[in-house]
């Protein structure tokens, strides 16, 4: 199920020193209250890599931090209040283009077997002007990368969904989405790690247990993990 | 070394929470009022992050062995058998005695620490009950047992109890979306008389007002949240993140409260008011 291979690093052709540039279109370091700092203005695909670079650099420089969390276009570092200046200076010295060098050359890769029989498959096909099988072919043919996790433990936002499948989320969320549901909304795909409410379009279901706290690594999908879906025939 | 729960009431086991898992979507969790939590462990002679009980009342426990208890946080109506149990005092409980925390009198939660600390099987290295993710290593129900560790240091008492601080004004530090606010909107946040909403809980405190102003900020891409982050909702209400806050969110984070101010806010009863200032 799992193998390791080189990670492609899309979108990392940024100029050196650009984390300190202060405009909305380039990465910048900003205070997030006295005990956290945010690297904002990243482009799609950068957050997971920048997160790894920050972890690595802080460890190497013996800078004490608490948590490093990736968002859609940002990374937030929580740290002791007394450490704010040190952390911010260190972050300003990280260049996004260097993050490739610092990041591990291998990232986990996982293929999830999917039974594409979700209740929203026909609706999605209709909205996108496709047949159901075309939706399945597009969804299972794409390569995805975990951009960040959120919403619930082990819930990973996967980038790489073909643009033709980008749809707003359901007007009314479902009170219960089953564990393993493979879903799409906006530019993301995801798998519900456990039963929960949810507003995404459900294309199918996988048996893979994405979240298990008895494992050393409770989450299958961590920031940077590469993901493929395979139709069960 | 055990205690038997006779009535659990509004009680959870809490330690310092689960740092290091937020990147997987796991809330930090842990004690809501960190200052009161740390004080309880210090007085009980425990490690700073030792687990204890966080309760809003309705709790009754029976000791099966001699144990030293310390209560901090909100003032409470607490007893050992029929004797009032004083705050911030290391108090010996004898086998067969019953500890009762009937209700909190002024505040939201108190902390009940035992010398030796509460022990159990941790999940993701913590015993904390996380109300958002429902990570609950030790559910507390009538009849369940609490195991305590071995006390290796002496407990101490304070002559004058420390009660949760309540400042006339809590300080807003600029959040990542502070620059989205107009000068009038910034001013407005600092002059509103904010009211603690009834549905505030361990996840967050919702602040409403009699003079809310709607706003038209565009929907944001998900960004990581931190404890103390102040989100501005489209209706003009604020939601301040507490221990069990989700790891990411999509509302603008206009301000952030420092840790001590989060403790202060988290101890304010619903329907009371609070003033924020830059």
């Amino acid at each position: 199920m799992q193998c390791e291979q080189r990670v492609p690093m899309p979108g990392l052709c940024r100029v050196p020193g650009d984390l300190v540039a202060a405009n909305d279109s380039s990465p910048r370091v900003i205070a997030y209250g006295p005990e956290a700092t945010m690297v904002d203005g990243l482009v799609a695909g950068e957050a997971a890599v920048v997160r790894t670079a920050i972890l690595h650099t802080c460890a190497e420089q013996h800078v004490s931090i608490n948590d490093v969390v990736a968002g859609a276009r940002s990374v937030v570092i929580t740290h002791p209040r007394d450490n704010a200046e040190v952390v911010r200076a260190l972050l300003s010295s990280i260049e996004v283009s260097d993050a490739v060098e610092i990041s591990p050359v291998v990232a986990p890769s996982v293929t999830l077997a999917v039974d594409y029989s979700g209740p929203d498959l026909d609706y999605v096909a209709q909205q996108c002007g496709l047949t159901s099988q075309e939706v399945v072919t597009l969804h299972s043919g794409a390569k995805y990368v975990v951009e960040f996790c959120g919403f619930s433990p082990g819930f990973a936002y996967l980038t790489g969904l073909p643009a033709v499948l980008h749809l707003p989320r359901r007007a009314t969320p479902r009170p219960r989405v089953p564990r393993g549901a493979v879903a799409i909304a906006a530019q993301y795909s995801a798998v519900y790690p456990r039963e929960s409410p949810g507003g995404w379009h459900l294309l199918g279901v996988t048996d893979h247990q994405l979240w298990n706290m008895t494992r050393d690594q409770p989450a299958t999908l961590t920031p940077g993990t590469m993901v493929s879906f395979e139709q069960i025939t | 070394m055990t205690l038997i729960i006779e009535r659990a009431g509004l009680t959870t086991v809490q330690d310092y929470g689960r740092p290091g898992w937020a990147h997987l979507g796991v809330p930090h969790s842990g004690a809501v009022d960190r200052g009161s939590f740390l004080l309880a462990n210090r007085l009980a002679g425990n490690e700073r992050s030792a687990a204890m009980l966080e309760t809003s009342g309705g709790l009754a426990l029976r000791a099966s062995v001699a144990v030293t208890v310390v209560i901090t946080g909100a003032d409470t109506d607490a007893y050992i058998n029929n004797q009032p149990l004083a705050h911030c005092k290391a108090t010996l409980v004898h086998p067969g005695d019953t500890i009762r925390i009937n209700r909190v009198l002024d505040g939201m939660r108190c902390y009940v620490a035992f010398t030796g600390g509460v022990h159990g099987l941790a999940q993701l290295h913590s015993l904390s009950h996380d109300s958002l993710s429902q990570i609950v290593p030790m559910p507390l129900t009538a009849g369940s047992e609490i195991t305590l560790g071995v006390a290796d240091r002496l407990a101490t008492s304070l002559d004058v109890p420390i009660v949760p601080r309540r400042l006339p004004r809590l300080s807003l530090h600029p959040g990542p979306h502070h620059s989205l606010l107009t000068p009038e909107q910034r001013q407005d946040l600092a002059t509103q008389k904010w009211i603690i909403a009834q549905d505030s809980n361990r996840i967050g405190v919702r602040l409403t007002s009699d003079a809310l102003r709607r706003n038209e900020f565009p929907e944001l891409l998900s960004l990581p949240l931190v404890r103390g982050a102040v989100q501005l909702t489209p209706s003009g209400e604020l939601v301040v993140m507490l221990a069990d806050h989700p790891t990411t969110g999509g509302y603008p984070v206009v301000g952030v409260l420092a840790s001590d101010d989060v403790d202060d806010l988290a101890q304010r009863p619903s329907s009371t008011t609070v003033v924020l200032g830059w």
Side-chain angles (χ1 to χ4, degrees):
Chain A
M1 180 68 85
Q2 298 220 13
C3 66
E4 290 190 331
Q5 60 188 87
R6 275 196 81 85
V7 196
M9 295 293 179
L12 281 170
C13 47
R14 318 294 289 274
V15 294
D18 54 6
L19 274 190
V20 283
N23 69 60
D24 282 348
S25 60
S26 51
R28 59 201 177 125
V29 176
I30 49 176
Y32 193 141
E35 291 147 63
T37 302
M38 183 170 186
V39 177
D40 197 12
L42 300 172
V43 301
E46 281 182 343
V49 180
V50 169
R51 174 179 181 273
T52 308
I54 291 169
L55 281 171
H56 179 92
T57 310
C58 288
E60 199 178 62
Q61 309 275 327
H62 304 289
V63 172
S64 170
I65 51 172
N66 299 330
D67 251 320
V68 184
V69 186
R73 297 287 189 276
S74 56
V75 178
V76 169
I77 303 93
T78 55
H79 48 72
R81 191 173 183 148
D82 296 344
N83 247 2
E85 277 184 35
V86 177
V87 170
R88 283 163 201 171
L90 188 69
L91 291 173
S92 299
S93 74
I94 297 176
E95 286 155 10
V96 175
S97 46
D98 284 351
V100 189
E101 318 285 328
I102 299 167
S103 296
V105 292
V106 289
S109 157
V110 58
T111 300
L112 302 173
V114 180
D115 172 5
Y116 281 99
S117 58
D120 298 329
L121 187 61
D122 292 343
Y123 172 83
V124 168
Q126 186 195 341
Q127 290 296 306
C128 299
L130 302 165
T131 65
S132 297
Q133 186 50 49
E134 283 169 336
V135 171
V136 172
T137 304
L138 278 167
H139 187 265
S140 60
K143 299 286 178 208
Y144 302 85
V145 178
V146 177
E147 184 156 59
F148 65 102
C149 298
F151 177 62
S152 78
F155 188 99
Y157 291 76
L158 306 174
T159 57
L161 182 70
V164 65
L165 296 178
H166 294 189
L167 288 176
R169 37 170 76 202
R170 289 164 55 88
T172 312
R174 288 189 169 85
R176 268 205 311 279
V177 171
R179 186 176 93 172
V182 176
I184 60 169
Q187 72 270 41
Y188 292 111
S189 187
V191 184
Y192 284 81
R194 56 185 185 171
E195 186 181 287
S196 69
W200 293 30
H201 304 284
L202 311 182
L203 302 185
V205 66
T206 178
D207 279 344
H208 189 98
Q209 197 177 21
L210 289 144
W211 179 252
N212 181 344
M213 284 189 289
T214 64
R215 298 192 302 229
D216 279 350
Q217 296 297 326
T220 302
L221 306 182
T222 60
T225 300
M226 301 195 296
V227 184
S228 307
F229 295 104
E230 196 174 61
Q231 183 178 14
I232 297 173
T233 49
Chain B
M1 295 289 281
T2 57
L3 298 158
I4 318 286
I5 303 265
E6 291 187 337
R7 236 183 21 251
L10 304 167
T11 308
T12 59
V13 175
Q14 296 295 337
D15 53 22
Y16 210 68
R18 298 186 176 80
W21 298 100
H23 67 293
L24 301 180
V26 180
H28 190 293
S29 193
V32 166
D33 174 356
R34 290 182 175 176
S36 298
F37 170 87
L38 292 172
L39 176 65
N41 270 337
R42 190 157 59 79
L43 296 178
N46 291 338
E47 296 291 329
R48 70 191 292 278
S49 59
M52 63 181 72
L53 303 179
E54 179 184 275
T55 184
S56 300
L59 172 68
L61 299 156
R62 197 176 67 251
S64 60
V65 290
V67 57
T68 301
V69 65
V70 177
I71 297 191
T72 65
D75 193 17
T76 53
D77 184 19
Y79 299 90
I80 294 178
N81 300 330
N82 293 317
Q83 295 296 313
L85 173 55
H87 267 225
C88 299
K89 299 267 188 233
T91 307
L92 186 65
V93 181
H94 297 98
D97 283 356
T98 300
I99 305 168
R100 280 182 296 130
I101 316 270
N102 292 343
R103 60 202 172 95
V104 289
L105 300 175
D106 184 22
M108 291 303 287
R109 359 182 118 76
C110 77
Y111 292 84
V112 187
F114 305 96
T115 297
V118 171
H119 282 224
L121 277 178
Q123 279 184 320
L124 304 181
H125 311 304
S126 168
L127 289 175
S128 288
H129 175 119
D130 173 358
S131 62
L132 183 71
S133 298
Q134 288 302 315
I135 297 175
V136 188
M138 290 178 63
L140 295 182
T141 48
S144 54
E145 285 190 13
I146 293 177
T147 304
L148 302 180
V150 179
D152 54 1
R153 281 180 288 179
L154 285 178
T156 50
S157 296
L158 296 180
D159 292 339
V160 180
I162 296 175
V163 295
R165 188 199 69 176
R166 202 163 285 172
L167 288 184
R169 203 185 71 146
L170 301 182
S171 293
L172 281 169
H173 297 262
H177 305 114
H178 179 252
S179 58
L180 292 180
L181 299 175
T182 63
E184 293 73 34
Q185 285 173 316
R186 271 172 227 175
Q187 180 74 20
D188 187 47
L189 292 182
T191 48
Q192 289 270 15
K193 191 172 269 190
W194 295 105
I195 302 162
I196 314 265
Q198 291 278 351
D199 56 1
S200 302
N201 53 29
R202 283 184 46 89
I203 298 166
V205 171
R206 186 164 63 86
L207 298 176
T208 186
S209 141
D210 296 330
L212 289 177
R213 284 171 208 225
R214 289 195 61 82
N215 58 72
E216 301 288 338
F217 291 117
E219 194 177 331
L220 297 169
L221 290 163
S222 292
L223 74 149
L225 294 173
V226 301
R227 177 173 180 267
V230 180
Q231 291 185 311
L232 178 61
T233 68
S235 68
E237 289 183 335
L238 302 177
V239 182
V240 185
M241 298 291 108
L242 298 186
D244 293 350
H245 70 80
T247 57
T248 59
Y251 291 128
V253 177
V254 293
V256 184
L257 295 180
S259 188
D260 290 352
D261 286 0
V262 177
D263 290 351
D264 179 322
L265 181 70
Q267 286 288 13
R268 293 181 187 233
S270 59
S271 305
T272 62
T273 59
V274 59
V275 175
L276 306 175
W278 297 104

